[in-house]
Amino acid sequence: MPTNVIVSDTLANLVSTGGFRSAVPSQGTCTPNAVTNGTPQTLSCNLGTLILNASATVTVVVRPSIATSGNRTNNASVRSTDIGDPNIGDPVLTNNNGSVTSAVTAIADITVSKTATPLTVPAGAPLTFVATVHNNGPSTAQTVSLTDTLPVNASFVAVTNITGGGTCGTVPVAGAVGGSLVCSWVSIANNSQFTVTYQLRPLNSAVGGNVVNSVAVTTVTTDSNLANNSATTSTPVTAAQLDILINKVDSVDPVDLGQSTVYTITVNNSGPSAGTNVVMTDVFPAPGSTPTATFSYQGGLTVNAGGVCVEPAIGVISGTLTCTFPGLSSGQTATVTYAMRAESLTISGATSGTAFNAANVTVNETETLLANNAVTHDTTARRFSVITDLAITKTVASGTLVAGHQIDYTLTVVNNGPVASNGAQVIDVLPAGVSFVAAANCVHLAGTVTCPVGPLAVNASRVFTLSVLVNSPYNGATPLLNTAIVDAPGDPILPNNTFTVSLQPPPPPVTVMPVPTMSEWAMALMAGLMLLLGMLKMPRRRV
């Protein structure tokens, strides 16, 4: 009769919390015998004495842990510490061991939590969400999917991060309102968690209300608790807070006459909210300014940040450049560049002059500071004051003045030395009776044509063509005098700095009497004879 009968069972792959539930023997005692934590447990039951043909049972309850559904095998053994087993011939004591195989279904507990930062957000400022998906186990959760139902009072920005090798298969385009964000993971192991980080911008319509955002998770693995599969945040929205500022610089200053400088305009949003419908306007010359130099628009426009611009015509000396940007995020900068050329100085004999450009920016939202929304930039045009002799000549293809016809003048500037020249300009004030038509590389303003000569080496020349139209009827002086001067301060020889061309109107037409025909001669002769006969028949008076 065996005494001190011991049953041993190594219980592995249990859930970590409360994995061992109970062990109830039909006789004797077991250790442990109540709920116990730990993934493995070693069960030992002392059944005491078993008489011949008697039996005893131990009922064991556990919570198995399994990554995926499958079979689970458990082995138990029995021995007596006092009496040897009579089955001496069996070295492995086969009948002292027993096992059972159970089909175990995987089960998990997927939870989701969510945070929104900041706790209160201005309209247009980024609102950052972090959704955390956690698996409480005990099994691995397979094919985990997160769906965020996006609010209709905020626009989507972007997914900035996803951990655990997850992917987001459904992502709204930037700026979209409403819709869903769907991200997934192939699996999430027991007691593991992954996150998705994404941003929205509350719309102005959300001011005074809340951005309410809900998220939910699912898994194909049996979920033991569906109550923790969703989460919602609610963030109060205040009025937008932003400051749009503008700045402008030039690449070359002072600028030699005939040369160009590149202007760079930067528009920055210092935030924290985004700005929408940002409009930059650049006007030249600046309204209310008194420029002493003339610059012309030369194009070469570049613009970023999705801006669309309306340009002035190439070569104009006054105009407006307007660029519109759909939006600027907090901290984002938009840049616009273009070229302008120094054309002339408005004061004859001056060595330099100044032009002014005025740029400003507007935005749909109310700003915290408006003083930095406008800037006036000045640029100096100059010419070198060198002692050299420049001469000008002026010719015209035809010396006759005909109303309604075009006159093409050729103006030629020659540098007689002794040094190179830079910064001279040709000035031609159009006389009454003609209208400006064209002059390549020159500027026409209120009847005055100005042409920058630019760098001119000794003995070199520069030619300009000036076309005018004679008014019809002609209302100018006779003869028509047109004078061009080369404006070059420091020129020691002044007589050759001026050249005048005189044009005479065509002579009046000569009236030519028509030659009578033979019949006309005969009729005239007959009329004469009749007149003579009439005179002979008249009565005579006596004296």
Side-chain angles (χ1 to χ4, degrees):
M1 182 174 61
T3 58
N4 283 327
V5 177
I6 306 296
V7 174
S8 299
D9 192 344
T10 301
L11 304 168
N13 299 322
L14 305 180
V15 297
S16 60
T17 302
F20 180 85
R21 308 304 293 175
S22 64
V24 180
S26 60
Q27 65 181 56
T29 60
C30 291
T31 303
N33 62 2
V35 176
T36 306
N37 296 331
T39 54
Q41 292 291 330
T42 300
L43 175 67
S44 179
C45 296
N46 190 331
L47 303 181
T49 300
L50 282 178
I51 64 176
L52 181 63
N53 295 325
S55 64
T57 61
V58 179
T59 302
V60 181
V61 179
V62 297
R63 294 177 61 192
S65 174
I66 193 168
T68 58
S69 296
N71 293 326
R72 182 178 184 277
T73 300
N74 177 245
N75 297 306
S77 64
V78 64
R79 63 187 176 85
S80 171
T81 60
D82 296 335
I83 306 265
D85 194 306
N87 192 5
I88 300 300
D90 187 352
V92 295
L93 301 177
T94 304
N95 61 356
N96 286 54
N97 295 281
S99 64
V100 64
T101 299
S102 305
V104 179
T105 301
I107 190 170
D109 179 19
I110 291 292
T111 70
V112 65
S113 60
K114 189 175 185 182
T115 61
T117 306
L119 298 179
T120 300
V121 61
L127 179 58
T128 301
F129 295 96
V130 179
T132 302
V133 183
H134 184 86
N135 181 14
N136 292 327
S139 302
T140 298
Q142 304 289 338
T143 313
V144 179
S145 179
L146 174 147
T147 301
D148 190 303
T149 303
L150 300 173
V152 296
N153 59 353
S155 62
F156 186 77
V157 177
V159 174
T160 58
N161 189 43
I162 182 169
T163 63
T167 59
C168 294
T170 302
V171 181
V173 297
V177 174
S180 297
L181 170 67
V182 180
C183 304
S184 60
W185 295 265
V186 174
S187 63
I188 300 180
N190 174 33
N191 203 33
S192 297
Q193 68 180 33
F194 300 132
T195 61
V196 183
T197 304
Y198 47 102
Q199 290 183 325
L200 303 178
R201 291 189 192 278
L203 304 177
N204 284 333
S205 60
V207 173
N210 296 276
V211 171
V212 179
N213 190 217
S214 298
V215 66
V217 292
T218 60
T219 176
V220 297
T221 303
T222 301
D223 196 332
S224 62
N225 182 9
L226 297 178
N228 53 13
N229 285 37
S230 61
T232 300
T233 59
S234 182
T235 307
V237 181
T238 59
Q241 296 178 12
L242 73 162
D243 178 25
I244 302 291
L245 55 95
I246 190 170
N247 190 35
K248 185 173 184 179
V249 297
D250 48 22
S251 61
V252 179
D253 192 357
V255 187
D256 295 338
L257 288 179
Q259 302 303 305
S260 295
T261 185
V262 175
Y263 289 106
T264 299
I265 300 174
T266 54
V267 178
N268 177 261
N269 180 10
S270 63
S273 298
T276 57
N277 191 33
V278 180
V279 180
M280 186 285 299
T281 304
D282 185 26
V283 181
F284 60 93
S289 66
T290 306
T292 53
T294 302
F295 281 72
S296 67
Y297 185 78
Q298 294 298 308
L301 178 73
T302 68
V303 59
N304 66 353
V308 177
C309 299
V310 178
E311 295 183 78
I314 300 298
V316 298
I317 59 174
S318 64
T320 301
L321 170 67
T322 303
C323 298
T324 302
F325 304 88
L328 291 180
S329 303
S330 176
Q332 186 178 8
T333 298
T335 304
V336 179
T337 67
Y338 64 91
M340 293 194 77
R341 186 175 66 198
E343 298 290 358
S344 63
L345 306 179
T346 61
I347 301 175
S348 178
T351 59
S352 65
T354 304
F356 303 88
N357 289 43
N360 70 83
V361 63
T362 61
V363 65
N364 278 356
E365 291 73 18
T366 301
E367 296 187 61
T368 56
L369 180 65
L370 293 176
N372 52 15
N373 284 41
V375 61
T376 298
H377 186 81
D378 60 90
T379 304
T380 298
R382 70 175 182 183
R383 55 184 168 191
F384 295 147
S385 296
V386 294
I387 301 177
T388 192
D389 177 29
L390 295 185
I392 188 170
T393 58
K394 185 174 186 179
T395 60
V396 65
S398 173
T400 303
L401 181 67
V402 180
H405 285 208
Q406 179 173 304
I407 300 174
D408 296 323
Y409 293 103
T410 300
L411 293 73
T412 303
V413 178
V414 177
N415 183 4
N416 295 325
V419 295
S421 169
N422 189 4
Q425 61 182 359
V426 172
I427 301 175
D428 192 318
V429 179
L430 301 181
V434 298
S435 302
F436 177 78
V437 174
N441 301 316
C442 300
V443 173
H444 171 250
L445 180 62
T448 298
V449 178
T450 306
C451 308
V453 176
L456 195 62
V458 175
N459 297 323
S461 62
R462 186 142 298 132
V463 178
F464 303 95
T465 300
L466 169 61
S467 299
V468 297
L469 185 67
V470 180
N471 295 346
S472 181
Y474 177 67
N475 56 354
T478 301
L480 175 68
L481 301 178
N482 185 219
T483 300
I485 67 170
V486 56
D487 179 23
D491 191 332
I493 302 173
L494 296 180
N496 58 8
N497 286 36
T498 303
F499 201 100
T500 300
V501 171
S502 176
L503 294 178
Q504 294 285 350
V510 176
T511 303
V512 179
M513 297 299 291
V515 177
T517 63
M518 291 299 295
S519 59
E520 290 173 334
W521 276 110
M523 291 177 65
L525 180 59
M526 183 64 71
L529 290 173
M530 293 292 290
L531 178 60
L532 180 59
L533 289 174
M535 293 176 62
L536 291 175
K537 292 179 179 182
M538 290 178 63
R540 299 182 180 177
R541 286 190 305 172
R542 294 175 179 242
V543 178

